[in-house]
Amino acid sequence: MKNQLLCLLICGLASFAHAQDIPSLKSMDDGIHHWNLGHPVRNYARYAPEQYKEIANNFIAYQNQDGGWPKNIDWLAILPPDSVYSTLSDRYKRSTLDNRNTYSQIDYLAHVYTLTRQARYKDAALKGLSYLLKTQKKNGGWRGWDVDAITYNDEVTTGVLELFLRINEGDIHYTWLDDTMRKKIHQAFWKGIDMILHTQYVQNGTKTVWGQQHDNKTLLPTHARSFELPSLVSSESCSILRLLMHIPHPTPPVIDAVKAGISWLEKSAIQGIRIEKVPIDKTQITNAEYPYDRIVVEDAKAPRIWARFYELDTNRPFMANRNGKKVYQLKDVAPERRVGYAWYTYVPEAILQAYPVWIKKIEAEQAYTGYETINDMPIFYQELKQTLTYPLAWGNAPEKDFSRWREQARRKLLECMQPAPPESAFDMKVIESEQREGYTAQKIVFNISKWSRVPAYLLVPEGKGPFPAILLLHDHGAHFTIGKEKMVRPFHVSEVVQADADDWVTRCYDGQYVGDYLAQHGYIVLAVDALFWGERGRKEYPRYDSQQALSANLLQMGMSWGALITWDDIRSAEFLSSLPNVDKEKVGTMGFSMGAHRAWMTMAATDAVKAGAAVCWMNTTDSLMTLTNNQNKGGSAYAMIIPNLRRYMDYPHVASIACPKPMLFTNGLKDKLFPVDGVKSAYEILHKVWESQGADKHLHTQLYDLPHFCSKEIQQAVLEFFNKEFNH
């Protein structure tokens, strides 16, 4: 809740609502289908999908005391819960994950809470999450309905882990979770992934795929129902592979597991047959749901297909009857099971089609990790510690007179600024690209220093060039799951990241991606994550308080987090200027909120940028450092603190170092983060400096009747400013 309040404050909005989308009921289809099988006469009314509050109320009504849900109920039925319960046996009233149950209700309730902010939905979802954590086995898996074993059938285990992964990634429907619950979910997720890696079956020394169920102790495939014998399975293994491929920046063991599973699927495909439904006489129908028979037809042109079960050590496809006896031909399966069970599948085809794109991306990403902090420390902390040689310590310093050494050490302490990261050749690589209207969006990686190889978005207009270019610097927002995605519309990302970016842009940028807007008007655009945001974020999960710990840890080793962000921005500007299709005399920078601070700091620190636009960050220390201003609360401020700098210059004085380069400053009259009187005082100081150098026509300051917000009107003003100053 703390993070949410800070988000509201920084965006300057009294309240907000996420897009009013209707929660999906697709994951409920399996349970509703099984209800319908047992209730052929259904003469009751049902809620429409748009009545999501009423449907969520049904979920609350049926939730068991332990936090889970019974399975196989029509969740849309307008029926008294007692009348439904009366049709269930005691066994069917128990909570279960079978038929994609429980985790689906949790996800639906969390979505409804996002839309309504009614606490009852949050409380029910939280109770359900507690049930999932409580029922996770010591080995990391969850049991299904038919046998007490690690269960992959019906996406029992993988469904829970997919939910946990989305929460770890920052799903907007779970922002209300506190750090304690987030930590438990993070740990449970990786415990489950470790279990998956250990249950991957090894056949003659080679990793293959998985079984439907695995024994709790041996972790080997085991039986469930009488016709579900220990085996390697194709369909459920695809659910596991899909989960592993969803993990951002997977570890080498995860990558190896996927490669092995894909290899097995390729080798196990069956060619030259198709499964055909054939009509039968009514007297031969064994199940009214399946009024036909199934046969295997030889067809040389048929697409490849997979059996459901393969023998553990021979890979031979097989089937089984309810008596538990194994058979090898579909015709030898009893009619009821022949039509009532999916013995063949085309499911692996989708995974095999997705794999080449995934592995190409993974191979490109292996040059960087996707996170750069672990347990609130930078991943390069060992290298940073090695730079601490303490040359001015007493005994190490060349000065041997203690009094003179003391004077020198004190003077150095007061004037000291932390070191810059060591430079490296940029070595840019393009990971992937997407053609957009009038420009190309590229996902790239480059060396921002010897310590950090970073991902970025680069937008390149169509045409010959050279083009003017803009370095876009994202905001803080107390929102760390995304960084560069706040400025450039992401692509080839998970639905969670896409929704996160779209939501943020709606709330803070008037629904318009600034980078795409500038690219459409002929500018090359570069957007990079700052350390602690997006793919340079915290490995465990985004956590507001960790930014303070990170800052403290860096300071302990002689470096400021705010200074490090500035050094990275300088190197980003130099990288952008180095590109052959960029007009080096027309490189600008722009940012909103913390990004505005970064913009004028970069303007002051390097001449690689020739013009800058800062939206909603300029003031005086006198105005900001009060008991009621957000600046004195720590937190967000750590990313912009340069130790000792205030001993020499105030904010507008530092920004004045950019003079006489063109600058645009804007702010909102209703911006509670930056008092208007302080904004006006800072602008007055800036104008005096530019006037003294005969460059006042290149300094533009503007106040809008807005809160802390980067509106489309402001974005247009930014575009017009760069167009004018760059003659574009």
Side-chain angles (χ1 to χ4, degrees):
M1 196 64 188
K2 178 180 178 183
N3 288 7
Q4 192 65 37
L5 290 173
L6 283 165
C7 258
L8 293 176
L9 178 61
I10 288 178
C11 283
L13 304 174
S15 64
F16 72 91
H18 291 281
Q20 295 295 307
D21 53 325
I22 299 172
S24 173
L25 289 161
K26 184 173 178 57
S27 58
M28 313 295 172
D29 290 347
D30 200 1
I32 294 174
H33 166 72
H34 283 83
W35 162 271
N36 291 339
L37 292 179
H39 300 79
V41 178
R42 299 183 291 278
N43 55 2
Y44 52 84
R46 301 177 82 236
Y47 293 118
E50 293 80 10
Q51 295 175 281
Y52 52 81
K53 287 193 289 186
E54 289 78 6
I55 297 170
N57 290 339
N58 259 1
F59 289 148
I60 293 175
Y62 287 109
Q63 189 173 24
N64 288 328
Q65 190 62 35
D66 61 9
W69 277 267
K71 69 171 182 174
N72 301 346
I73 292 174
D74 184 355
W75 305 106
L76 282 68
I78 305 177
L79 292 171
D82 289 345
S83 70
V84 174
Y85 266 117
S86 66
T87 70
L88 304 178
S89 67
D90 287 343
R91 184 169 182 244
Y92 274 76
K93 292 175 183 177
R94 297 174 186 171
S95 298
T96 181
L97 304 177
D98 201 45
N99 292 340
R100 296 157 187 86
N101 202 52
T102 294
Y103 59 80
S104 296
Q105 285 88 336
I106 294 169
D107 211 34
Y108 193 94
L109 287 163
H111 196 153
V112 174
Y113 173 66
T114 302
L115 296 172
T116 65
R117 294 303 181 193
Q118 293 183 19
R120 62 199 311 260
Y121 304 123
K122 177 184 73 172
D123 294 343
L126 185 59
K127 188 176 179 181
L129 288 171
S130 297
Y131 170 82
L132 296 181
L133 293 170
K134 180 173 56 180
T135 55
Q136 186 179 28
K137 293 179 173 295
K138 290 182 179 180
N139 56 38
W142 283 265
R143 69 159 294 167
W145 182 255
D146 301 302
V147 63
D148 184 10
I150 300 166
T151 301
Y152 296 124
N153 195 24
D154 283 352
E155 299 176 358
V156 167
T157 290
T158 55
V160 176
L161 293 176
E162 287 277 11
L163 172 61
F164 285 0
L165 175 59
R166 288 193 288 106
I167 293 173
N168 289 341
E169 281 192 277
D171 191 310
I172 59 176
H173 301 312
Y174 295 90
T175 56
W176 45 271
L177 287 174
D178 62 25
D179 282 346
T180 299
M181 180 57 78
R182 285 183 177 276
K183 183 176 181 179
K184 290 179 179 178
I185 289 172
H186 176 265
Q187 292 173 339
F189 173 78
W190 286 108
K191 184 177 181 181
I193 296 300
D194 184 65
M195 176 272 304
I196 284 176
L197 298 180
H198 281 88
T199 52
Q200 189 170 23
Y201 189 75
V202 178
Q203 185 184 84
N204 299 321
T206 301
K207 291 181 181 179
T208 59
V209 285
W210 293 264
Q212 275 192 336
Q213 293 82 210
H214 287 251
D215 184 86
N216 286 320
K217 293 183 179 179
T218 67
L219 302 185
L220 294 173
T222 188
H223 68 279
R225 289 177 287 186
S226 59
F227 54 89
E228 294 175 325
L229 305 178
S231 60
L232 299 177
V233 292
S234 55
S235 184
E236 288 82 355
S237 292
C238 289
S239 297
I240 297 171
L241 291 170
R242 187 178 300 111
L243 166 66
L244 297 179
M245 291 166 70
H246 284 167
I247 297 175
H249 307 286
T251 61
V254 170
I255 296 172
D256 290 344
V258 173
K259 288 181 177 178
I262 292 295
S263 176
W264 184 91
L265 288 174
E266 290 280 6
K267 294 175 182 177
S268 301
I270 301 170
Q271 304 280 1
I273 67 167
R274 56 184 168 82
I275 309 303
E276 189 173 292
K277 296 177 183 178
V278 295
I280 56 175
D281 187 85
K282 291 183 179 180
T283 60
Q284 295 178 304
I285 296 175
T286 57
N287 187 327
E289 188 183 3
Y290 309 106
Y292 49 78
D293 198 1
R294 283 194 177 109
I295 62 172
V296 175
V297 178
E298 292 187 4
D299 183 353
K301 296 182 180 180
R304 57 184 176 177
I305 197 170
W306 286 260
R308 183 164 194 157
F309 298 142
Y310 291 78
E311 289 183 335
L312 291 173
D313 295 322
T314 69
N315 273 355
R316 185 182 181 186
F318 74 90
M319 288 136 274
N321 283 297
R322 285 193 181 273
N323 61 8
K325 291 187 176 180
K326 187 185 297 185
V327 297
Y328 296 96
Q329 297 186 63
L330 186 61
K331 67 180 182 178
D332 294 330
V333 180
E336 179 271 334
R337 280 294 80 192
R338 189 161 63 232
V339 297
Y341 200 67
W343 295 106
Y344 291 90
T345 181
Y346 293 104
V347 167
E349 195 62 59
I351 289 291
L352 294 175
Q353 293 297 322
Y355 176 74
V357 176
W358 177 83
I359 194 63
K360 182 179 179 182
K361 180 179 179 182
I362 294 304
E363 289 172 350
E365 286 182 344
Q366 285 180 334
Y368 71 101
T369 61
Y371 59 88
E372 285 201 56
T373 64
I374 301 174
N375 293 329
D376 305 327
M377 289 285 280
I379 62 172
F380 48 81
Y381 73 95
Q382 293 285 14
E383 292 89 339
L384 185 57
K385 285 195 294 186
Q386 290 173 8
T387 69
L388 305 179
T389 58
Y390 312 116
L392 202 57
W394 174 244
N396 291 344
E399 180 56 64
K400 302 305 180 184
D401 181 273
F402 185 81
S403 295
R404 287 197 294 269
W405 169 84
R406 189 171 181 268
E407 292 175 359
Q408 293 173 7
R410 176 174 288 174
R411 187 165 59 251
K412 182 60 66 177
L413 176 65
L414 294 175
E415 69 184 25
C416 184
M417 281 288 291
Q418 280 66 49
E423 294 184 2
S424 174
F426 295 122
D427 188 27
M428 184 192 82
K429 295 289 187 299
V430 178
I431 294 178
E432 49 191 349
S433 63
E434 179 181 84
Q435 184 62 45
R436 298 180 180 175
E437 187 173 352
Y439 63 101
T440 299
Q442 296 179 338
K443 177 79 174 288
I444 66 170
V445 291
F446 70 96
N447 296 325
I448 208 165
S449 72
K450 283 187 177 180
W451 293 338
S452 300
R453 185 163 176 81
V454 300
Y457 281 128
L458 184 68
L459 308 184
V460 182
E462 294 177 353
K464 185 177 181 182
F467 302 98
I470 305 296
L471 172 64
L472 284 184
L473 303 169
H474 66 74
D475 59 71
H476 186 292
H479 189 74
F480 309 108
T481 50
I482 53 175
K484 59 187 178 298
E485 294 82 3
K486 297 177 179 181
M487 311 301 287
V488 171
R489 178 166 58 86
F491 63 103
H492 298 169
V493 296
S494 69
E495 293 180 0
V496 171
V497 173
Q498 186 66 61
D500 195 5
D502 289 343
D503 176 73
W504 192 258
V505 166
T506 297
R507 287 194 275 144
C508 294
Y509 295 90
D510 212 1
Q512 179 169 267
Y513 285 95
V514 182
D516 296 77
Y517 175 67
L518 293 171
Q520 288 168 351
H521 288 84
Y523 286 85
I524 288 179
V525 171
L526 176 68
V528 186
D529 293 324
L531 180 68
F532 199 72
W533 278 268
E535 292 182 280
R536 298 184 69 194
R538 189 170 183 264
K539 180 181 181 181
E540 292 80 7
Y541 49 85
R543 179 175 175 267
Y544 181 80
D545 289 343
S546 288
Q547 63 181 324
Q548 299 187 40
L550 173 64
S551 179
N553 289 330
L554 284 164
L555 286 169
Q556 291 277 23
M557 295 180 285
M559 175 169 280
S560 155
W561 182 32
L564 181 57
I565 289 174
T566 302
W567 281 114
D568 282 353
D569 291 341
I570 292 168
R571 287 296 285 164
S572 295
E574 292 171 347
F575 164 73
L576 181 59
S577 181
S578 74
L579 297 178
N581 54 353
V582 167
D583 186 337
K584 295 174 176 53
E585 296 306 311
K586 296 181 179 180
V587 176
T589 184
M590 179 267 179
F592 163 66
S593 194
M594 180 188 80
H597 180 279
R598 296 167 64 192
W600 54 257
M601 283 288 291
T602 306
M603 283 288 291
T606 176
D607 287 330
V609 283
K610 310 300 183 182
V615 180
C616 294
W617 212 119
M618 177 47 67
N619 220 272
T620 64
T621 302
D622 180 66
S623 182
L624 290 179
M625 296 310 296
T626 66
L627 293 178
T628 57
N629 190 267
N630 189 61
Q631 190 76 3
N632 75 340
K633 298 177 182 177
S636 302
Y638 280 94
M640 291 158 278
I641 292 175
I642 310 297
N644 298 323
L645 189 57
R646 292 289 77 78
R647 294 288 299 170
Y648 301 98
M649 291 177 288
D650 203 354
Y651 299 108
H653 303 145
V654 175
S656 295
I657 298 171
C659 179
K661 292 187 289 187
M663 284 290 299
L664 169 66
F665 292 90
T666 73
N667 222 88
L669 292 169
K670 299 175 182 176
D671 190 335
K672 296 181 179 179
L673 294 178
F674 296 97
V676 175
D677 288 343
V679 173
K680 291 179 178 178
S681 296
Y683 286 177
E684 183 178 351
I685 294 171
L686 292 168
H687 277 289
K688 287 181 178 178
V689 176
W690 261 259
E691 285 175 0
S692 71
Q693 301 304 307
D696 197 47
K697 67 178 182 179
H698 294 298
L699 177 66
H700 308 271
T701 57
Q702 182 69 46
L703 293 171
Y704 290 82
D705 189 25
L706 290 171
H708 195 71
F709 189 63
C710 187
S711 67
K712 288 182 180 178
E713 180 186 9
I714 292 176
Q715 293 177 47
Q716 182 179 351
V718 169
L719 175 63
E720 292 173 352
F721 163 76
F722 283 122
N723 284 346
K724 178 182 178 181
E725 295 296 343
F726 288 158
N727 295 317
H728 180 58

